[in-house]
Amino acid sequence: MAVLRLSFPPRLSRSWLTLGAAGAATAALAVLVGPQIVAQIAGDRGIAPIASTGDFEVSGIAVNVQGTSAADARAKGWQEAEKLAWQKLWKTNGLGGGEAPALDPATLDGMVAAVVVEQEQIGPHRYIARLGVTFDRARTGGYLGMHGQVARSAPLLIIPVLYEGGVASVYETRTPWQRAWAEFHTGESAIDYVRPNGGGADSLLLTEGQLTRRSRNWWRLVLDEFGAADVIMPIARLTREFPGGPIHGTFTARHGPDNRFIGQFELTAPSDDQLPQMLADAVHRLDALYTQALQQGALAPDPSLNMAPQLDPKLINQILDSLGPVRQATPGAAPVAGVPVPGAPAAAPGAGAPATFTVQVATADGAALDAGLAAVRGVAGVQGAATTSVAIGGTSVLRVTFAGDLEGLAAGLRAQGWKVTQGANALSIRK
């Protein structure tokens, strides 16, 4: 018997790549690691999320009605679905729950914006279907007693991880778990979801390995790419009893760069045909878990992801008090070069007009990037340091604003134990 052997290129074991701008992702990655990465991000692998509005959506309404004809049975089925959906909507969003107030068919039909056919069977005189009903928020909110705005969470980036057959995938391929989140109507939820479409460089930036990262600088770069303040990780584990048989799913809600546990539950689909419906139900239950966590204050953005410096006003006042009162110069007297002004602080040695330099740092991993940033910011006279390009496993580039010359910046880094190579308005450092 002939044996077919397939040879695959070696994987990038935790050699993650991110970019300062999403538009330059493909070109920069191709330069860093060659055409292998271009092949990994090429092709149509993304699923665009559906546009979500603030309307109320009720899904999974089962109807089984008869009529004088197929069209009459279908019209009666849709009318019955509107009544059942209104009762279900009232129990979840109405004043105090309980039984929904009776509405005449014309009023109820005027509140409905759309009827979504999830599955239907049409006979000569019978209509069997599972439908979804969308209620217009403006025309329905008054009946539900809703007025004003509902508090929503900060923008949260979604990384939907699927474990199936011993393989973890996010956006490397199109998965039913990714599709379930892309088709989820987020307008009614209290969670402000940021849903990538999974195309382009998303399959490299957002992977299962990202869940184990703790570097706040790395997370901040990733979140800035998508305009998010924090991250949530809905995880699905699917196991099959046998091909075509029942599928058992374990679904876990996690949150934040520290991968904190929110909740977990299990569902079962009788067959492959019922898998999309099970995943859709799981998405709604996970949304409920995240909403509950938001109400309990457990879904607040991690403060360590905020890279803006937080200055204590009390500390500032103590420093100003220790300097004492500042003597004012004589009105009209111009300062003379080389003559210190009374009460003015002495200038730091080597300080001058701020200049911008480029610093290249060898970054074997995320910790090396953090160490390089900390070292540059620790040099006296550095007024700012920001990453312009990150290459884990290669060389990252920093833009540094320094009050002094390039030699002074190099001397400060050498004093910290770094090996510094000086070039034209740039430095290259490594441990």
Side-chain angles (χ1 to χ4, degrees), residues 29-418:
L29 291 172
V31 172
L32 291 173
V33 292
Q36 176 181 342
I37 293 298
V38 177
Q40 292 186 22
I41 64 177
D44 188 11
R45 67 180 70 231
I47 301 177
I50 62 173
S52 293
T53 64
D55 294 340
F56 301 103
E57 299 171 359
V58 182
S59 59
I61 304 298
V63 295
N64 187 346
V65 297
Q66 295 181 348
T68 58
S69 63
D72 180 64
R74 192 182 195 193
K76 291 182 178 178
W78 284 26
Q79 188 175 11
E80 179 69 16
E82 292 177 359
K83 295 180 181 179
L84 297 176
W86 167 244
Q87 295 174 4
K88 186 176 180 180
L89 178 65
W90 178 267
K91 290 181 180 179
T92 56
N93 296 348
L95 291 171
E99 293 295 330
L103 299 176
D104 59 274
T107 301
L108 190 59
D109 189 66
M111 293 162 49
V112 174
V115 175
V116 181
V117 178
E118 299 176 0
Q119 184 180 358
E120 66 178 0
Q121 301 177 24
I122 304 176
H125 303 283
R126 193 172 183 181
Y127 182 74
I128 304 174
R130 187 177 68 247
L131 305 174
V133 180
T134 302
F135 292 91
D136 183 84
R137 176 175 286 270
R139 290 175 288 191
T140 309
Y143 291 94
L144 295 174
M146 291 186 173
H147 302 282
Q149 298 292 331
V150 178
R152 303 196 72 189
S153 70
L156 301 178
L157 175 66
I158 294 182
I159 303 182
V161 183
L162 174 64
Y163 293 95
E164 186 177 16
V167 177
S169 57
V170 180
Y171 295 123
E172 293 82 357
T173 59
R174 287 183 173 179
T175 67
W177 188 229
Q178 176 194 359
R179 182 174 296 278
W181 278 101
E183 295 177 350
F184 176 55
H185 293 266
T186 62
E188 188 180 344
S189 174
I191 308 301
D192 186 3
Y193 294 105
V194 178
R195 297 179 293 177
N197 61 15
D202 292 354
S203 59
L204 292 177
L205 295 178
L206 306 178
T207 64
E208 185 270 343
Q210 188 69 24
L211 275 62
T212 62
R213 290 190 174 275
R214 299 295 179 263
S215 172
R216 295 313 197 252
N217 287 330
W218 182 273
W219 272 111
R220 186 67 268 167
L221 290 171
V222 173
L223 294 176
D224 285 346
E225 290 292 334
F226 299 94
D230 210 334
V231 62
I232 57 174
M233 294 84 77
I235 301 174
R237 296 180 182 271
L238 302 182
T239 57
R240 302 172 184 266
E241 292 188 7
F242 53 86
I247 305 172
H248 302 286
T250 301
F251 302 92
T252 308
R254 292 187 171 274
H255 163 246
D258 291 327
N259 199 11
R260 293 193 300 271
F261 177 81
I262 298 294
Q264 187 175 355
F265 59 89
E266 296 181 358
L267 295 175
T268 300
S271 62
D272 287 334
D273 295 337
Q274 301 297 323
L275 177 60
Q277 182 61 36
M278 181 187 75
L279 295 180
D281 294 340
V283 169
H284 283 83
R285 292 188 59 176
L286 286 170
D287 175 68
L289 286 177
Y290 284 122
T291 302
Q292 182 181 2
L294 175 65
Q295 296 172 351
Q296 296 174 353
L299 213 62
D302 193 322
S304 63
L305 291 174
N306 184 10
M307 297 180 65
Q310 302 295 329
L311 299 179
D312 187 359
K314 295 182 179 179
L315 179 60
I316 296 176
N317 293 332
Q318 291 177 2
I319 296 175
L320 293 177
D321 293 340
S322 64
L323 295 176
V326 178
R327 296 177 58 185
Q328 300 294 332
T330 303
V336 181
V339 178
V341 178
T356 301
F357 303 108
T358 299
V359 178
Q360 298 179 351
V361 187
T363 50
D365 50 25
L369 175 60
D370 293 344
L373 273 171
V376 171
R377 290 169 177 168
V379 176
V382 172
Q383 300 180 357
T387 56
T388 59
S389 177
V390 177
I392 301 302
T395 302
S396 301
V397 181
L398 311 179
R399 183 176 65 252
V400 181
T401 302
F402 179 65
D405 53 13
L406 189 62
E407 289 75 10
L409 179 60
L413 291 170
R414 290 192 182 97
Q416 299 185 28
W418 290 82

